[in-house]
Amino acid sequence: MLSLLIFLPLIAALLILILPNRVQNQFKYIALGVSLIQFVLSLFIYVKFNSSASHAGVNKESQFQLVEKLSWIRLDLGNIGKLEIDYFLGIDGLSMPFLILSALVTFVATLASWEIKTKLKAYFSLFLLLNTAVIGVFCALDFFLFYIFYELMLLPLYFLIGIWGGIKREYAAIKFFLYTLFGSVFMLLVIIGLYFSVSDPITGNHTFNMILMMDPANYADGSIFSALADVNLFGMSARLLAFIVLFIAFAIKVPVVPLHTWLPDAHVEAPTAVSIILAGLLLKVGGYGIIRICYSIFPDAALQSAWWIGLIGVISIIYGALNALAQTDVKRLIAYSSVSHMGFVLLGIASSTAEGISGAMLQMISHGALSAMLFFLVGMIYERVHDREIANFSGLAEIMPQFTAFVIIAFFASLGLPGFSAFMAEAFSLIGAFNSEQVNGLLPRWMAVLGSVGILLSAAYFLWTLQRMFFGQTYLKGGDDWLLKLKDVNMREKIALVPLVILTLALGIFPSLLFDKMNASILAFVQLILG
């Protein structure tokens, strides 16, 4: 089933490449059909998912679900041994929620792709290839396979931004590519070092199995990443250095301050559908990588670095919010708000408490849905009048009442109003950070206090934007021409927005829909870190 989820978009992409251009108007329906099938499959996986402690997964291979493991590459290296790479897929409570999020966000992004009018064959082929890479990252349990999917995301995103983006699309695409590649290159060096440090206890051969990498018993005594190894690189242990390298690679994706500067440019220049994928899924790949790889493989280094990670999270929350407050372009405002909201993810993870990790996971799912909604709404305005400047609009509530209702829901949900998913997520992240000092002594309580200021600032920039653009005396810079073009929400747009509203309300009122599925895995994860 996981292989079907991963490779169905790739098969559809190949089909689109084969089909003649005269049927190019049907390409969007092929992509939409694929996303719907993925969503149905992900819901089936959610319903059938076993959330008991005996299926927690995390660092026990036998407890993962929907496992697919096949020998993929076998190469005799002589005295070094045999190179073993497996096609190894599986999910636990830390990865399953991202399958649903990926399918839903992809569905919304496909509907947003209706605005694309040129080079449809290339666009939808790249779009579906990106879909394959994202799902693959959340399912891969072999580090080499994970890296392939992780790098595969770069290629389609580079072209999707660079070809179908705005005026500065080439600059934004290159900046995004270089930032991400910078982290990925050094990540590969750590992967190679881990491969030669870890051995499969059954075969005795080196392995890329991420689950085996989480067990200190599988590291050879003289290996560079053994916990007992007396290896000092640049004044720190090899394990701490490897953790920092991997953390930076994933932190670029999150993104955290000061590695965030690619994000506003990429969002502003990217077409709406690509912005939805970037904010809804790509940022979550960074958070997932920190949990699945950085913390799980190097828990000792994670505990050493907890204070600094928490501080980076707090800085991202405050800095992102202050930047959002200063923006005049509403799309750039939402981009900076993503930096701020993802800071809560980092703060929750750094706490290493069950409630903090739960909050971080819920924040990623919540932000994925809300950011997709926000960028879709901004895209609707831009598609109609090709302008996003806040000062050029006023009184939109009179002109587009249904659109305004969706914006109000998205804004109030994003600023953490009780009853919506972001409130639960940020509350649990802050509770975890606040309790951390007493539970494990990792984070001081002032970090939680400062983090809460971010909620106040998010209320400031969202409410100020709402007041300026939607209420007061009606004003449109484009005059009557804009008035004719600013039609209210159509049926396609409602089909995209309503599921996102339902998800954020459901998780806000019944967070147990997600917490119950994740709880066993989160407890096992916390035990792995602190144990």
Side-chain angles (χ1 to χ4, degrees):
M1 189 172 288
L2 296 183
S3 290
L4 184 61
L5 271 175
I6 293 169
F7 293 109
L8 185 63
L10 186 60
I11 295 168
L14 294 174
L15 176 63
I16 287 173
L17 288 173
I18 294 169
L19 290 173
N21 282 329
R22 66 174 180 271
V23 296
Q24 64 178 355
N25 288 331
Q26 306 304 314
F27 294 163
K28 58 189 177 185
Y29 294 107
I30 294 174
L32 187 65
V34 167
S35 64
L36 279 172
I37 294 170
Q38 284 183 308
F39 187 58
V40 171
L41 284 174
S42 66
L43 287 178
F44 178 78
I45 291 171
Y46 171 85
V47 171
K48 296 294 183 181
F49 188 80
N50 190 328
S51 55
S52 65
S54 60
H55 290 77
V58 183
N59 62 334
K60 294 181 175 63
E61 186 174 325
S62 61
Q63 295 183 359
F64 276 81
Q65 300 176 51
L66 299 179
V67 171
E68 299 174 35
K69 191 173 185 180
L70 300 169
S71 296
W72 180 25
I73 299 174
R74 293 291 185 269
L75 186 63
D76 193 343
L77 301 178
N79 295 331
I80 300 176
K82 289 184 178 179
L83 177 67
E84 291 188 358
I85 302 174
D86 293 323
Y87 176 76
F88 186 17
L89 307 175
I91 58 169
D92 61 1
L94 298 178
S95 52
M96 183 275 295
F98 292 107
L99 300 186
I100 300 172
L101 179 69
S102 299
L104 179 58
V105 169
T106 302
F107 170 72
V108 174
T110 307
L111 288 172
S113 299
W114 254 242
E115 68 183 59
I116 303 297
K117 305 299 182 186
T118 59
K119 302 184 180 76
L120 295 183
K121 176 174 283 194
Y123 176 85
F124 282 103
S125 298
L126 290 167
F127 182 86
L128 289 164
L129 178 62
L130 177 60
N131 188 356
T132 286
V134 170
I135 296 284
V137 163
F138 293 128
C139 296
L141 293 177
D142 181 277
F143 212 156
F144 190 84
L145 183 65
F146 175 93
Y147 187 76
I148 288 175
F149 285 126
Y150 187 83
E151 286 293 276
L152 189 60
M153 292 188 295
L154 274 180
L155 179 69
L157 275 170
Y158 173 75
F159 288 111
L160 287 168
I161 296 171
I163 297 174
W164 291 274
I167 297 172
K168 297 180 180 179
R169 56 185 179 270
E170 292 92 350
Y171 168 76
I174 291 171
K175 190 174 183 180
F176 160 76
F177 192 93
L178 291 177
Y179 261 79
T180 309
L181 189 64
F182 170 78
S184 301
V185 168
F186 294 105
M187 183 198 292
L188 183 59
L189 295 175
V190 176
I191 293 173
I192 294 169
L194 283 167
Y195 172 77
F196 286 109
S197 297
V198 178
S199 298
D200 189 321
I202 297 174
T203 65
N205 294 321
H206 295 301
T207 179
F208 286 102
N209 187 318
M210 289 197 292
I211 302 171
L212 293 178
M213 291 176 180
M214 298 174 194
D215 188 351
N218 296 325
Y219 287 77
D221 290 341
S223 63
I224 188 172
F225 291 134
S226 168
L228 301 176
D230 186 20
V231 181
N232 192 289
L233 300 171
F234 305 107
M236 62 185 77
S237 70
R239 287 181 64 83
L240 179 58
L241 182 62
F243 173 84
I244 292 171
V245 168
L246 290 173
F247 178 81
I248 289 173
F250 293 122
I252 290 171
K253 281 277 203 297
V254 169
V256 302
V257 177
L259 305 171
H260 69 289
T261 57
W262 64 269
L263 183 70
D265 293 319
H267 272 311
V268 168
E269 301 305 327
T272 300
V274 179
S275 288
I276 289 169
I277 294 288
L278 271 173
L281 297 179
L282 195 74
L283 275 58
K284 314 307 171 285
V285 169
Y288 174 77
I290 290 171
I291 291 173
R292 174 69 74 201
I293 293 173
C294 294
Y295 265 68
S296 297
I297 296 177
F298 299 103
D300 50 337
L303 293 178
Q304 278 182 266
S305 311
W307 192 91
W308 292 103
I309 294 171
L311 181 64
I312 293 170
V314 171
I315 291 171
S316 296
I317 292 169
I318 304 297
Y319 182 85
L322 289 174
N323 269 278
L325 202 56
Q327 299 309 310
T328 59
D329 182 321
V330 67
K331 196 174 187 183
R332 190 175 283 269
L333 180 149
I334 295 168
Y336 275 110
S337 78
S338 293
V339 175
S340 179
H341 289 133
M342 290 301 289
F344 285 99
V345 174
L346 219 55
L347 188 61
I349 294 172
S351 74
S352 297
T353 60
E355 54 270 41
I357 304 294
S358 298
M361 286 290 296
L362 182 57
Q363 176 73 339
M364 285 193 276
I365 303 302
S366 168
H367 181 263
L370 288 171
S371 61
M373 195 190 316
L374 288 166
F375 280 113
F376 190 92
L377 290 165
V378 173
M380 288 167 61
I381 287 283
Y382 189 76
E383 188 180 350
R384 286 159 169 77
V385 297
H386 299 287
D387 196 296
R388 295 186 301 258
E389 286 293 316
I390 296 171
N392 294 342
F393 300 88
S394 182
L396 284 176
E398 292 288 332
I399 304 167
M400 306 170 72
Q402 293 182 45
F403 176 80
T404 304
F406 279 112
V407 170
I408 288 172
I409 292 170
F411 278 14
F412 276 93
S414 297
L415 63 84
L417 189 73
F420 291 101
S421 55
F423 169 76
M424 286 292 180
E426 291 170 2
F428 272 79
S429 296
L430 292 173
I431 290 168
F434 192 80
N435 288 343
S436 176
E437 186 174 63
Q438 182 178 348
V439 174
N440 51 40
L442 293 177
L443 300 183
R445 285 177 174 167
W446 60 261
M447 287 188 180
V449 174
L450 278 182
S452 64
V453 175
I455 299 175
L456 178 64
L457 290 173
S458 66
Y461 59 73
F462 277 128
L463 293 177
W464 192 28
T465 303
L466 195 66
Q467 181 264 323
R468 285 180 290 172
M469 290 186 69
F470 293 89
F471 300 109
Q473 186 177 356
T474 302
Y475 166 75
L476 301 172
K477 185 182 179 183
D480 291 339
D481 181 48
W482 279 20
L483 189 62
L484 292 172
K485 292 178 180 178
L486 287 171
K487 305 295 184 184
D488 214 342
V489 186
N490 60 38
M491 184 54 66
R492 171 181 65 87
E493 292 160 345
K494 287 178 183 176
I495 292 171
L497 292 168
V498 169
L500 297 172
V501 173
I502 292 172
L503 178 62
T504 189
L505 276 170
L507 292 180
I509 299 170
F510 304 107
S512 57
L513 290 171
L514 193 62
F515 284 160
D516 286 351
K517 298 290 184 179
M518 300 188 306
N519 191 57
S521 295
I522 287 172
L523 291 176
F525 176 70
V526 172
Q527 179 61 36
L528 171 65
I529 301 170
L530 301 178

